[in-house]
Amino acid sequence: MRNTNEWKEKPGFDTLEGEKPEPLIMCDGGGLQAVPLHQRPDLLETCADLVNSEWPRSHGARVHSLQKSCQEFPVVLLLLHGSGNEDCVDETLLGHVRLSRVVSHPGSLFVESVVISKTQRGKGYGRTLMQEAERYARARGFSSLCLTTHDKQHFYAHLGYVLSSPVQNSGIMSSFVPMEVLERFSRLAGTDDTLGECPAWLVVQTLEKTPYRDPKGVPIFWMQKTF
């Protein structure tokens, strides 16, 4: 995977006012590449199978959700391994990460989900995929990623993520509710606009214990990384 910050832009993409063009990440000599799913619609079905292998749901519903990937967010990034030629032969889908906007934090993106193919785990692809998500975010003008995890907090800590306060991500809502409406609702609800490491006097969250729970009541860790 290249260590440069050089990006090639895909011609013909319209951008939102004030936003940087969407980067197109090209193959390096090792045959690894990270590309937005909406630039590779031929991989939609394969990506649906990958995500469903981790979180089963109807294939049609999964495809419908993945089809929402777009430049304006949410964005699905795919980690691929292949020869890198124009015919895209011998490609293998290694992983998937979904990014959405964070309400009231214009410089942040939220990592909704991360999946590495079960047959490809233990090879460092999870780290590579997160690094590519960060590179993509920086190229789009963002400065931090936020995420939650049930049991991979030590993995993310090794990647430079720190414990943080909860934030509100736009997620699927951004598909039919404008961001400015979500931000106004967030402010009216009293959402704290401060993004950063949790003040110890407010809530005790460590890498071993968290007071936060997901909608099912399972303990969940909130983390973020600024770059």
Side-chain angles (χ1 to χ4, degrees):
M1 190 65 65
R2 292 181 302 175
N3 292 322
T4 68
N5 287 322
E6 296 179 358
W7 302 83
K8 293 186 178 180
E9 299 167 11
K10 185 173 183 179
F13 259 95
D14 294 327
T15 59
L16 296 177
E17 184 177 356
E19 285 199 352
K20 294 184 179 181
E22 182 173 48
L24 176 60
I25 309 171
M26 305 300 290
C27 281
D28 69 350
L32 288 177
Q33 58 177 324
V35 297
L37 175 59
H38 49 276
Q39 294 182 8
R40 289 296 306 275
D42 56 300
L43 294 173
L44 182 61
E45 298 285 338
T46 304
C47 185
D49 291 337
L50 170 65
V51 181
N52 272 355
S53 69
E54 189 72 20
W55 300 295
R57 63 185 299 189
S58 76
H59 186 76
R62 182 66 68 188
V63 168
H64 179 71
S65 176
L66 292 171
Q67 284 176 325
K68 297 183 182 298
S69 177
C70 63
Q71 184 188 359
E72 289 77 19
F73 296 98
V75 168
V76 173
L77 291 181
L78 306 179
L79 183 64
L80 305 174
H81 180 272
S83 60
N85 60 36
E86 294 182 357
D87 296 328
C88 299
V89 298
D90 300 325
E91 276 187 337
T92 300
L93 177 58
L94 303 175
H96 148 292
V97 59
R98 183 182 177 110
L99 305 173
S100 62
R101 302 290 294 270
V102 177
V103 179
S104 296
H105 300 291
S108 302
L109 291 178
F110 188 84
V111 181
E112 290 189 51
S113 59
V114 181
V115 183
I116 297 296
S117 172
K118 293 180 180 179
T119 62
Q120 302 295 334
R121 294 177 184 176
K123 302 179 181 180
Y125 292 134
R127 174 184 292 270
T128 299
L129 181 56
M130 291 303 297
Q131 290 172 340
E132 291 308 311
E134 293 169 16
R135 280 153 52 94
Y136 179 89
R138 285 196 300 268
R140 293 291 302 273
F142 295 92
S143 59
S144 68
L145 290 182
C146 306
L147 57 83
T148 60
T149 179
H150 290 105
D151 56 6
K152 298 296 189 295
Q153 63 273 21
H154 293 284
F155 166 74
Y156 289 114
H158 283 304
L159 298 185
Y161 287 78
V162 297
L163 298 170
S164 67
S165 303
V167 298
Q168 180 182 355
N169 71 297
S170 59
I172 194 173
M173 293 292 290
S174 62
S175 299
F176 49 89
V177 178
M179 177 60 69
E180 55 268 24
V181 174
L182 290 174
E183 290 177 342
R184 188 178 306 116
F185 175 81
S186 177
R187 287 193 294 270
L188 289 174
T191 300
D192 185 4
D193 282 349
T194 302
L195 177 64
E197 196 169 351
C198 286
W201 57 270
L202 276 181
V203 61
V204 178
Q205 183 182 209
T206 70
L207 291 178
E208 305 299 334
K209 184 177 181 181
T210 175
Y212 301 115
R213 298 293 184 271
D214 68 9
K216 295 182 179 180
V218 180
I220 196 168
F221 295 83
W222 285 85
M223 308 185 77
Q224 65 99 3
K225 180 178 181 179
T226 301
F227 35 79

